[in-house]
Amino acid sequence: TGNRSECQCMKAYTGPGGGPCTKCPAGTYNAETGGACLSCPKGAYQPKEGQDSIASCLLCVAGTYNDKTGVQTEGGCMPCPAHTDSPAG
């Protein structure tokens, strides 16, 4: 087309129309061309940059939890309190 701003960042990247585009940071993903990076939901984490699907968000293992979005490491999944448990995620 005739306008650079019509060029959109690809999935897994974010930025203004026409660029520059940067990889979505760890803890996020972008599943749409031209879209914004979205945080992984509570109960999940995601350690890699440039992910293009919510499926890249990994569930906290059973017996752990996190109550924040956009968690980047498995270490963000906290053990359940004594004498409690949780399913994965």
Side-chain angles (χ1 to χ4, degrees):
T1 65
N3 190 338
R4 178 180 170 168
S5 66
E6 292 178 19
C7 298
Q8 299 293 310
C9 295
M10 299 184 319
K11 294 178 182 179
Y13 290 81
T14 191
C21 300
T22 56
K23 286 183 180 179
C24 290
T28 70
Y29 66 95
N30 177 12
E32 296 182 24
T33 297
C37 298
L38 303 173
S39 294
C40 288
K42 294 176 182 179
Y45 67 97
Q46 199 284 100
K48 298 179 182 177
E49 296 181 327
Q51 300 301 301
D52 65 1
S53 169
I54 194 170
S56 67
C57 300
L58 307 171
L59 296 178
C60 292
V61 298
T64 66
Y65 73 98
N66 79 44
D67 59 1
K68 297 182 171 128
T69 60
V71 173
Q72 298 178 358
T73 66
E74 187 175 11
C77 300
M78 307 301 294
C80 290
H83 311 291
T84 67
D85 199 7
S86 73

